Amino acid sequence: MNKMDKISFYAALFGAKIINKGLHLMKSAGTSLPGVAAMKISKNFLSFLSKYCKNDIITITGTNGKTTTAGLLAHILKSADKSVLHNEKGANMLSGIASALAVDYKPFSRFDYAVLESDEAYLTKLYDYLKADYLLVTNLFRDQLDRYGELDTTAKKIQNAVNKNPDLKVFINADDPMLSELGANNRRIFFGFDDITYKTSQKESLAPAEAVACKCKSELSYEKRYYAHVGRYFCEKCGRKRPEPDYKGYAVIYDDYSEIYVKFIRENLEHELAFKTRLVGLYNAYNTLAAISTALELGISQQSIQKGLDTYKSVFGRAERLTIDGKNVLVQLIKNPTGASEVLRTVNHETCSKLLIIINDNYADGRDVSWLWDTDFELLNDSRGNIVVSGIRAYDMAVRLKYAGFDESRIEVKKDIKEAINYSLKSVEQGGQLLIMPTYTALLDMQKILK
């Protein structure tokens, strides 16, 4: 690092910190603006992540769960008394990652780990600036087709990023056949579930598996299918099958928590460790298994991992629990068919007093809302109360509920998000629960309303 680069970096750093302070004073939610400014002042600003990280840089990408998985892993590392740089607010494009560095980095210091969530399409650009040690990929599902295209397009974008770093160690969800070819020339570490037991009020999804063909063009078969195309798969024609996980999970899923057992081999000895997470649902069991597996690979103890799981607080909107005016509120972000269907499977109709669904179609949400028709809204037919729909595409959501078989006399449209939230809260009795399912920009609107 030459003297001018260092001067440029610190000028960008202090400038970004001043901007961030100003945003806080104005109570603005512009999480990426400090990063935008820093990268304007110092074009190689992000490359300094590698220079100031003592141990490993862990990057995390995938369609669903990357924000929660990254948050869990970062918190587990902090619970083990490690200093961690993490873009915890979920801003996962280059400017958001630069903001995390600008805001959280203490001048003239070094940190132990960096845990960086990255948008799939921006991962290649991120690797232009830094050499990551690990890449964790959660899953691949159809998501914002107007921006990303089909699944194989997204997979190729991630592979292009991996190709830039032959030393990269790739953590892969073994249960997702879309990821089985990823990083074939790199060291690969697999995690996945051997079995899952439900002790909940949840329903099994009625939705068919997303069509994922084998390399030989044959349809894949499943010993066990957990959801969508994720499960213990195999091809009857060519013999391809799900890789054996290095970290084998077994989950017992309850309404309010999950127990996760992890088997792995260390120094030729098999270990089995038990963990508990308060995050709900199968999709969060996968997020938790991914974070636990990575932490174990980094040498973090069982005690520190469990401490991290016990004290982790959800990122806003990702299975976050709030109390507003004595009412329990659960906020669950939805953005694509698979993720939304899995959230719907966690709805406990005995405890959920009211449901509010907020659908926007701004650029960050994806303009194409046809995904609503691929989501398993039929799971709501046993709901005992009315459902409120809101947002820019409130009427599209109302029509989808009608065709799912939901009684249209129980569908209430309140396009204004603030009005919908206030109305829904008033409809919930003391001690009852309101479940809010917003798309991404609707979630941002909610943050401003609930401040």
Side-chain angles (χ1 to χ4, degrees), residues 25-215:
L25 291 173
M26 293 187 294
K27 296 183 179 180
S28 170
T31 56
S32 295
L33 187 57
V36 171
M39 293 174 71
K40 288 280 187 184
I41 298 169
S42 173
K43 64 179 182 179
N44 293 318
F45 186 75
L46 279 170
S47 66
F48 285 82
L49 270 164
S50 299
K51 300 180 189 301
Y52 292 122
C53 185
K54 294 181 194 175
N55 298 322
D56 296 313
I57 296 176
I58 302 108
T59 47
I60 298 176
T61 197
T63 306
N64 291 332
K66 52 185 176 285
T67 298
T68 299
T69 301
L72 276 170
L73 179 59
H75 191 69
I76 286 168
L77 292 172
K78 290 175 183 177
S79 297
D81 296 322
K82 307 297 183 183
S83 55
V84 183
L85 186 80
H86 168 48
N87 52 332
E88 63 182 329
K89 294 184 179 176
N92 57 27
M93 297 182 186
L94 294 185
S95 56
I97 296 170
S99 284
L101 174 59
V103 172
D104 294 338
Y105 173 67
K106 296 178 181 178
F108 314 110
S109 68
R110 298 179 72 199
F111 44 88
D112 293 312
Y113 293 95
V115 177
L116 306 175
E117 173 194 341
S118 175
D119 180 278
E120 305 95 291
Y122 280 81
L123 187 65
T124 303
K125 295 178 182 178
L126 177 63
Y127 284 2
D128 286 336
Y129 292 97
L130 56 87
K131 185 177 180 181
D133 299 282
Y134 291 90
L135 169 64
L136 189 158
V137 189
T138 57
N139 49 56
L140 284 182
F141 297 110
R142 289 190 304 117
D143 184 53
Q144 298 190 31
L145 295 182
D146 53 329
R147 290 179 61 202
Y148 291 109
E150 290 294 347
L151 288 177
D152 58 347
T153 303
T154 307
K156 286 174 184 175
K157 287 178 180 178
I158 298 174
Q159 182 61 57
N160 289 339
V162 173
N163 291 342
K164 291 187 173 185
N165 186 357
D167 297 324
L168 184 71
K169 294 176 279 292
V170 187
F171 253 99
I172 298 173
N173 182 348
D175 301 342
D176 188 340
M178 282 302 302
L179 301 176
S180 64
E181 302 300 314
L182 183 67
N185 296 320
N186 294 63
R187 183 192 166 200
R188 301 196 293 175
I189 307 163
F190 290 98
F191 63 92
F193 282 111
D194 269 6
D195 206 359
I196 293 164
T197 298
Y198 288 93
K199 294 189 177 181
T200 71
S201 59
Q202 294 179 25
K203 296 180 179 180
E204 293 294 329
S205 175
L206 302 176
E210 292 192 19
V212 175
C214 182
K215 285 193 301 181

Side-chain angles (χ1 to χ4, degrees), residues 286-449:
Y286 267 103
N287 296 336
T288 304
L289 178 62
I292 290 171
S293 301
T294 309
L296 289 170
E297 187 71 17
L298 295 173
I300 305 303
S301 70
Q302 179 185 13
Q303 292 74 20
S304 292
I305 294 173
Q306 187 58 63
K307 180 183 176 183
L309 296 176
D310 288 341
T311 56
Y312 174 71
K313 292 183 179 179
S314 300
V315 177
F316 188 79
R318 274 76 169 185
E320 187 187 25
R321 299 179 187 276
L322 306 169
T323 302
I324 303 174
D325 298 332
K327 316 287 178 70
N328 298 315
V329 179
L330 177 61
V331 185
Q332 297 265 42
L333 173 72
I334 58 172
K335 58 175 186 156
N336 54 48
T338 299
S341 294
E342 285 305 300
V343 168
L344 290 167
R345 285 179 63 195
T346 68
V347 176
N348 185 333
H349 300 299
E350 297 302 316
T351 60
C352 181
S353 306
K354 195 80 174 182
L355 175 60
L356 167 60
I357 304 174
I358 312 175
I359 305 296
N360 281 351
D361 65 347
N362 294 311
Y363 176 75
D365 304 294
R367 301 288 191 187
D368 182 357
V369 295
S370 62
W371 62 271
L372 297 176
W373 293 90
D374 296 323
T375 299
D376 208 359
F377 285 107
E378 285 74 10
L379 290 169
L380 293 175
N381 286 339
D382 290 339
S383 296
R384 54 194 176 95
N386 290 3
I387 295 179
V388 180
V389 294
S390 184
I392 298 169
R393 302 300 287 265
Y395 287 101
D396 296 78
M397 187 65 246
V399 171
R400 175 65 185 96
L401 289 174
K402 174 184 173 182
Y403 278 89
F406 196 80
D407 184 351
E408 46 185 309
S409 68
R410 293 168 54 208
I411 302 170
E412 302 179 87
V413 178
K414 306 283 182 185
K415 282 200 71 173
D416 181 79
I417 294 175
K418 185 174 183 179
E419 178 189 358
I421 292 172
N422 290 335
Y423 174 80
S424 299
L425 280 170
K426 288 177 182 176
S427 304
V428 177
E429 66 274 12
Q430 289 296 121
Q433 183 185 76
L434 167 64
L435 171 60
I436 305 179
M437 298 171 58
T439 55
Y440 182 70
T441 64
L443 180 66
L444 298 181
D445 291 337
M446 282 182 57
Q447 281 183 294
K448 297 172 187 174
I449 292 166

